[in-house]
Amino acid sequence: MDSDYGVPRELSDLQKLRSKYQPELPPCLQGTTVGVEFAGAIAVIDHSDDQAINQSFPKTYGQRLAKFVGDTTKVSDGQVITEHPAIRVGVVFCGRQSPGGHNVIWGLHDALKVHNANNTLLGFLGGSEGLFAQKTLEITNDVLATYKNQGGFDLLGRTKDQIRTPEQVKGAMAACMALKLDGLVIIGGVTSNTDAARLAETFAVEKCPTKVVGVPVTLNGDLKNAFVETTVGFDTICKVNSQLISNVCTDALSAEKYYYFIRLMGRKHSHVSLECTLQSHPNMVILGEEVAASKQTLSDLTKKICDAVQARAEKDKYHGVILLPEGLIESIPEAYALLQEIHGLLKQGVSVDNISAQLSPAASALFDVLPQFIRKQLLLHPESDDSAHLSQIEMEKLLADLVEAEMNKRLKEGTYKGKKFNAICHFFGYQARGSLPSKFDCDYAYVLGHVCYHVLAAGLNGYMATVENLKNPVSEWRCGAAPIPAMMSVNRFCHGAGDVSVGKLAVHPATVDLKSKAYKLLCENAKKFLMDDVYRNPGPLQFDGAGADSKAITLCVEEQY
C-alpha cells in the first residue's frame, strides 16, 4: 500500500463527532434479503438515438429499470435473493473530489459485510491509474474509521479519471480478472459514468464476469436526468459557497463601495450558480445557459452589468455582488469560437507563441483586444477530456476590467454621474469541495453505497445506483438502479454559437433548464435581488439543529421524477 493512502487522519473535535454519525437507511435496504423488481418497459430517456446507442451497446442497452423493495412478499416481476455467497468487489474514485465520496465506500462496505462477513472490498489507490496497476487497499472498519462522514477523496486518491482508450479498458479488465472481482464500482460524474458504461459493455462482450456499477458523485450537479435527481456533493458545495457569498454580501453592504465578482465551480453549466443565488440572494447572477440561449456577446454582458451598476447608483448604491459560473466563457459565442480555434491549433502542434498569427480574422480581432492575463489563460492546453482549463480562466477579472473601463468611459462622457466603480474578484472553488459533507450528502452517499451491493447481488451490469424522492425524509426514499446506456445520447450542446452537434455518444451533462420551476423562481426575484439588497445568510454548514435538514432549493422546488 502507498503510504499516502488509507492512513488514519488526525481529527478535530468536530471531525470526531461527525465520524460517529450513523447515516440512515430507507426501509427498502434494511435486512439481509434483496428484493428487486423490474419495470415493464426498457429504460430510455430519448428514443431518437436508439439505433446509435444499440449499435455501440448491444449487450447492455435495452435493459429495464430496477427497483429494490423491502417487502419481498410483493415482488411480482423480479426476484428475491436470500442466498449471498461471498464476493469480491473493487471500488475506484474516477471523478474530481466531491464531499460525501467516502460515504459511498462506507455504505458499500457495510452492505457487503451485513450480507456475508466473508465479502471483500478492495479500493484502488490513485484512481484509474491504480486500477490499471492493480494497486489495492482492502477496506475494513479500521481503515474507514477516520474517513466516515469526512470530505475529500484522500482515502484512495484519484488521477486523470479516464478508462477510455482500448489500452485503458484492457488494463481495467486485466485487473478485474487478476483480482477475481465480481463487481467494480466506479464513483464519479458524467465522464466517469460514460466510461463505466463502455467498460460494462466490453466486459459483457469479452465474457468477463465482473459487473460494473456507476455512482453519481460530482459537485457540479450536472448528472441529472429522468433517473437521477441530484449528485453526491452538490448539496454541500452549494451550502458552503452560499455562506461565503453571504459573508461577502454583508461586507459589501457594510462598506458600500465595492462590487464583488464571484466565479463559482460547476464546469460548463450553471447549476451551482443558480442554487447559490437562490440561497444567498446576491444582486445578480449570469447563467451560462441564458447567455448561450440569447447569444450574448462580451459587449452585451458588459453593457448589462454596467446598466445595473448605473441603475443602483441612481439609488445611491455603489456596491453589489455578482455571481458567474466557472465555464461562462464557453457560453459566449465569439469567446467559445476563439477557444475552439486555439485548441484546434494546439492539437495540430502549433506552438503557443505562434497561435495568434494563425487565428481567423474574427478570432484574431477578439484575441488582440483581450487583456494579456486572459490571453495567456486561453492558450493553456486542454485537459484530459479535451475541455478547457475553466478553473484557470479568470472570467470574473475580465468582466470586472471591462465594466470598469465602460463605467469610466460613461463617467468621462457624462452619461454616468455617480461615484467611481471599484471591483474585487474571487474564485470560490477549492475552498468548498474539500468540506465536510452535509447531513444530506452523508446519508445520500451511504445509501448509494448500499444500493451498489443490491445491484451486484441482482447480477446487474452497466447500471447506475439511484435514489428517488430525495426531497423527503430518508424513510421515504426509493432505491433502484438505471442502465447507464439509457442515459446516453448523441447530444447537441447549446454553446454560444447555437446548437452544435458534437456527435459524441455519452452521458452528457445536463444544462440548467430555462423552463424549470427553479429558474422561474429566480426570474420572479431577479429585480428585487438587483435593487433591494435582500441578502440572505444561511450561515455555516449545520450538522444538527436548525438548518441541518435543509436541502438544495433547486431539488425541492422541482417535481419528483
Side-chain angles (χ1 to χ4, degrees):
M1 183 189 84
D2 287 11
S3 58
D4 293 335
Y5 300 122
V7 297
R9 292 178 168 188
E10 181 178 345
L11 302 182
S12 67
D13 289 343
L14 177 59
Q15 286 179 298
K16 290 175 183 176
L17 185 63
R18 290 308 296 153
S19 70
K20 296 176 182 177
Y21 171 69
Q22 178 61 52
E24 299 178 62
L25 279 180
C28 61
L29 298 180
Q30 296 175 12
T32 56
T33 298
V34 174
V36 57
E37 288 186 337
F38 295 99
I42 64 171
V44 179
I45 289 179
D46 183 357
H47 283 284
S48 62
D49 293 319
D50 275 0
Q51 185 176 358
I53 303 174
N54 193 31
Q55 287 177 348
S56 297
F57 297 87
K59 295 287 187 181
T60 53
Y61 184 61
Q63 301 187 91
R64 297 183 295 168
L65 285 177
K67 182 175 77 171
F68 299 110
V69 295
D71 187 358
T72 56
T73 61
K74 297 181 180 179
V75 174
S76 54
D77 186 4
Q79 56 182 318
V80 176
I81 303 164
T82 56
E83 299 295 326
H84 301 276
I87 61 173
R88 292 168 59 83
V89 179
V91 61
V92 57
F93 286 127
C94 282
R96 288 169 174 80
Q97 48 267 43
S98 187
H102 287 143
N103 273 32
V104 176
I105 297 178
W106 179 22
L108 175 58
H109 169 270
D110 281 6
L112 283 164
K113 294 303 181 181
V114 161
H115 289 89
N116 189 324
N118 294 320
N119 286 336
T120 301
L121 178 60
L122 299 177
F124 287 100
L125 303 177
S128 54
E129 290 186 2
L131 171 62
F132 308 142
Q134 301 179 31
K135 295 167 63 175
T136 65
L137 165 67
E138 182 171 355
I139 305 298
T140 64
N141 264 322
D142 288 342
V143 168
L144 286 166
T146 58
Y147 292 88
K148 296 175 179 179
N149 303 313
Q150 308 298 312
F153 277 9
D154 51 319
L155 170 62
L156 300 176
R158 37 85 45 173
T159 50
K160 291 183 179 179
D161 320 323
Q162 281 191 0
I163 313 175
R164 196 165 311 151
T165 67
E167 293 76 19
Q168 290 169 339
V169 170
K170 184 179 179 180
M173 186 163 62
C176 291
M177 296 288 282
L179 296 168
K180 299 180 180 179
L181 296 184
D182 298 282
L184 176 65
V185 175
I186 293 177
I187 297 173
V190 290
T191 301
S192 302
N193 278 281
T194 297
D195 290 348
R198 294 192 176 115
L199 201 60
E201 179 68 24
T202 301
F203 283 12
V205 170
E206 298 295 330
K207 294 182 170 53
C208 173
T210 308
K211 309 298 183 185
V212 181
V213 183
V215 191
V217 179
T218 170
L219 63 88
N220 303 326
D222 57 2
L223 207 176
K224 294 173 66 174
N225 53 51
F227 310 127
V228 182
E229 292 182 358
T230 190
T231 58
V232 172
F234 179 75
D235 185 77
T236 303
I237 289 291
C238 293
K239 285 176 177 172
V240 174
N241 275 332
S242 293
Q243 188 215 352
L244 295 174
I245 294 164
S246 300
N247 291 349
V248 170
C249 289
T250 301
D251 186 80
L253 193 59
S254 301
E256 296 188 307
K257 62 180 179 179
Y258 297 115
Y259 273 87
Y260 293 86
F261 288 69
I262 302 175
R263 180 165 51 103
L264 300 173
M265 270 190 169
R267 302 298 293 167
K268 299 174 184 178
H269 303 301
S270 309
H271 300 284
V272 174
S273 296
L274 174 58
E275 176 64 32
C276 289
T277 299
L278 295 176
Q279 288 198 27
S280 58
H281 303 179
N283 298 101
M284 181 183 290
V285 61
I286 299 171
L287 301 181
E289 290 81 356
E290 281 184 324
V291 173
S294 55
K295 298 181 172 60
Q296 296 178 45
T297 64
L298 270 173
S299 178
D300 294 332
L301 288 175
T302 302
K303 183 180 183 303
K304 179 179 180 180
I305 297 172
C306 287
D307 289 348
V309 170
Q310 190 156 339
R312 286 177 57 79
E314 290 171 1
K315 290 184 174 292
D316 201 31
K317 294 183 177 183
Y318 295 96
H319 61 276
V321 178
I322 301 169
L323 305 187
L324 56 142
E326 183 180 33
L328 178 62
I329 191 167
E330 293 197 338
S331 300
I332 303 170
E334 76 270 34
Y336 178 70
L338 169 61
L339 200 55
Q340 289 296 94
E341 280 197 37
I342 290 172
H343 286 178
L345 292 169
L346 288 171
K347 286 182 180 179
Q348 294 172 26
V350 178
S351 69
V352 169
D353 294 336
N354 296 325
I355 289 285
S356 60
Q358 298 194 36
L359 292 172
S360 67
S364 180
L366 175 60
F367 190 77
D368 289 343
V369 300
L370 292 174
Q372 183 62 35
F373 73 91
I374 284 288
R375 292 190 214 172
K376 184 177 179 181
Q377 292 162 7
L378 294 180
L379 292 172
L380 292 170
H381 280 265
E383 296 198 84
S384 59
D385 61 356
D386 292 328
S387 64
H389 278 272
L390 298 177
S391 65
Q392 303 299 315
I393 301 175
E394 298 173 303
M395 282 297 295
E396 73 280 14
K397 289 186 179 180
L398 174 60
L399 284 176
D401 282 1
L402 293 174
V403 170
E404 182 176 12
E406 174 62 20
M407 293 309 297
N408 288 339
K409 178 185 174 185
R410 294 184 184 189
L411 193 61
K412 186 176 180 181
E413 293 173 345
T415 56
Y416 168 64
K417 303 182 185 299
K419 296 179 181 178
K420 188 179 185 303
F421 175 83
N422 295 294
I424 296 176
C425 298
H426 295 287
F427 172 44
F428 291 167
Y430 306 100
Q431 301 94 325
R433 77 178 189 183
S435 170
L436 289 171
S438 66
K439 183 176 181 293
F440 172 80
D441 277 328
C442 287
D443 290 339
Y444 183 30
Y446 184 78
V447 168
L448 283 171
H450 274 262
V451 174
C452 287
Y453 173 79
H454 284 237
V455 174
L456 294 172
L460 305 179
N461 180 40
Y463 275 70
M464 185 186 297
T466 62
V467 181
E468 297 178 330
N469 210 30
L470 288 170
K471 67 181 181 183
N472 291 327
V474 176
S475 60
E476 298 176 20
W477 288 3
R478 300 188 297 267
C479 300
I484 304 175
M487 307 177 193
M488 303 177 87
S489 63
V490 182
N491 210 11
R492 285 156 181 81
F493 286 114
C494 188
H495 284 307
D499 287 345
V500 179
S501 179
V502 176
K504 181 180 179 183
L505 187 59
V507 179
H508 291 286
T511 62
V512 168
D513 184 357
L514 300 184
K515 296 180 180 179
S516 67
K517 291 185 178 181
Y519 180 70
K520 182 180 179 181
L521 181 61
L522 172 66
C523 293
E524 289 171 351
N525 289 279
K527 185 175 181 180
K528 182 170 65 174
F529 288 175
L530 176 61
M531 300 305 300
D532 296 344
D533 295 345
V534 288
Y535 303 140
R536 176 180 182 270
N537 195 328
L541 192 63
Q542 298 296 302
F543 303 113
D544 195 15
D549 293 316
S550 66
K551 297 175 182 178
I553 295 172
T554 48
L555 173 68
C556 294
V557 300
E558 297 297 339
E559 296 295 332
Q560 296 289 334
Y561 288 112

